[in-house]
Structures are given as structure tokens and as C-alpha cells.
Amino acid sequence: MTSKSNLGILFLHALPLDGSMWAAQRHLLPNSSYAPTLYGFGQSAEEWAAEALSIVKGKRLIVVGCSVGGSCALEVAALAPDRVAALILIGTKARHRPDPEFREFALEEIAKGDRSGAWATFWEPLFSKKADPTVIDAARQAYVRLPKQDILRGVNVFHTRRSRDDTLAAFPGPVVFVSGAEDIAPGPEKTAAQALTAQDGMVEIIPDCGHYVPLEKPDQLSNIVRRVIYTLEVG
């Protein structure tokens, strides 16, 4: 059994956002939840994982990651499999095929003076068409507040991350794959296929939701996290 006092949650954010995207979930283990902003942790997903792991000493972890944060969560599991009790991967693809041309295009667009073009091209389309406009605007404002160099670094980390399907297949604990029904990156079908490669994989598809489940459907995600906490505490 994993006692409540020994269990922590590490939340790892998506691009182009920061740790504040987990505001609706931080209360689930209020004294043992960590939601760092990753951009300053280094130039690779491996460096991000090592630094994030260092702030949660002495804890058995549920690692929750969205998009590039999910890739970072897999790096945490690869780095410290003895500390990671469960993974919750939202809009995450373990296998990565580099696309240098698209990477350069993205970096060029973000480097331009007007941030609205990059937002409209890369991130706003990832929200569901039914998403609350105030939620989308709050996310855009969070993006605008971040230094441009942080976003550039995050995009570079996303495009240079390693494939971690081997880590996914080897991980012995529960892995919950979460996808919005309207997500296009990677989307419900690819999410469900990945779950079959995990030893203890489960799938949760959230209706009327896009890529950013923590923002679009926070209550549904909180319920998923609660179930994982309960499983670890009683099992």
C-alpha cells in the first residue's frame, strides 16, 4: 500500500503554457503537488525531467503530463522508475519521428515580433470548437506572458525529444491515457493504440474536448486523477 503521506503528484505542463495550467488539479493532494514551469530547466526533455524530479524528494509519484509535459513524464519514468507509481498522459505520443523542416518553420514563426500569428497557427486550433472562449483567451494570455525565449526553448525540446515507446512498454504501473474526443494531436485513435502497448494501460476519452484537457474539462480530469490516487492508496 502507498500511504497518503508518501504519495505526491508531479504535474508537467503543455506548450505554450506554464505550471499554472494545473490550477484546477493542485488541490487533489494539496501538500504534495508540484507543478513547475519547465522552460528554465534545460535544453532537453531529459534535463527537464531530472530537474522536475529533484523538487519532489522522498515521494512516490503520480506523474501527470500534457503534450510535451507527457513526453517529460515518460522521461521521469525512464530516469526514476522506482519512484514513479503511475502515469497519466494527456494528448501525448510516446513515439517521435523528427520533422526538422516543421521545427524550423515553428521556430521562425515564434521568433517574429507578433505572437498572435504563432498562437493562431499552432495552438488555438488544438482547442475544441466547443471550448469556452474565456478559457481559450486565458490560455492565450498565459502564452503572451511567457518570455519568447522560453517558448522557443520549449518548441525545440518538443521537436528534439526521444522516442519513449520502450519506456512505455516497460513501465509496470498503471498508465492512464487521456484524450479529448476532438483532439488532433495525437487524437483518440492513436491514444487508444498506445494504451495497448503498456502493461497496465487504460484509456479515457473526454467528449467535447480538444488537446488541453486540464483547461477545457478540468472536473473530468480531476476525477481521473482522484481514481488513480485511490487505487494507489488502497492497493
Side-chain angles (χ1 to χ4, degrees), residues 7 79 119 139:
L7 187 64
L79 184 65
W119 172 259

mmCIF file of all heavy atoms in Angstrom, residues 7 79 119 139:
data_model
loop_
_atom_site.group_PDB
_atom_site.id
_atom_site.type_symbol
_atom_site.label_atom_id
_atom_site.label_comp_id
_atom_site.label_asym_id
_atom_site.label_seq_id
_atom_site.Cartn_x
_atom_site.Cartn_y
_atom_site.Cartn_z
ATOM 1 N N LEU A 7 2.779 9.863 -0.921
ATOM 2 C CA LEU A 7 2.363 9.984 -2.311
ATOM 3 C C LEU A 7 2.360 11.453 -2.729
ATOM 4 O O LEU A 7 1.848 12.317 -2.023
ATOM 5 C CB LEU A 7 0.964 9.401 -2.486
ATOM 6 C CG LEU A 7 0.424 9.282 -3.911
ATOM 7 C CD1 LEU A 7 1.261 8.319 -4.726
ATOM 8 C CD2 LEU A 7 -1.033 8.813 -3.877
ATOM 9 N N LEU A 79 13.963 7.800 -15.976
ATOM 10 C CA LEU A 79 15.037 8.212 -15.081
ATOM 11 C C LEU A 79 14.912 7.590 -13.694
ATOM 12 O O LEU A 79 15.920 7.226 -13.071
ATOM 13 C CB LEU A 79 15.031 9.744 -14.964
ATOM 14 C CG LEU A 79 16.130 10.407 -14.151
ATOM 15 C CD1 LEU A 79 17.496 10.173 -14.797
ATOM 16 C CD2 LEU A 79 15.860 11.912 -14.040
ATOM 17 N N TRP A 119 0.318 31.762 -32.282
ATOM 18 C CA TRP A 119 -0.795 31.228 -31.493
ATOM 19 C C TRP A 119 -1.898 30.696 -32.404
ATOM 20 O O TRP A 119 -2.391 29.581 -32.220
ATOM 21 C CB TRP A 119 -1.339 32.308 -30.563
ATOM 22 C CG TRP A 119 -2.589 31.914 -29.853
ATOM 23 C CD1 TRP A 119 -3.871 32.272 -30.161
ATOM 24 C CD2 TRP A 119 -2.683 31.059 -28.706
ATOM 25 N NE1 TRP A 119 -4.763 31.702 -29.287
ATOM 26 C CE2 TRP A 119 -4.062 30.944 -28.376
ATOM 27 C CE3 TRP A 119 -1.759 30.375 -27.926
ATOM 28 C CZ2 TRP A 119 -4.527 30.189 -27.300
ATOM 29 C CZ3 TRP A 119 -2.215 29.618 -26.851
ATOM 30 C CH2 TRP A 119 -3.578 29.524 -26.555
ATOM 31 N N ALA A 139 -5.724 31.051 -21.799
ATOM 32 C CA ALA A 139 -4.539 30.313 -22.236
ATOM 33 C C ALA A 139 -3.655 31.191 -23.117
ATOM 34 O O ALA A 139 -2.427 31.191 -22.992
ATOM 35 C CB ALA A 139 -4.952 29.049 -22.981
#
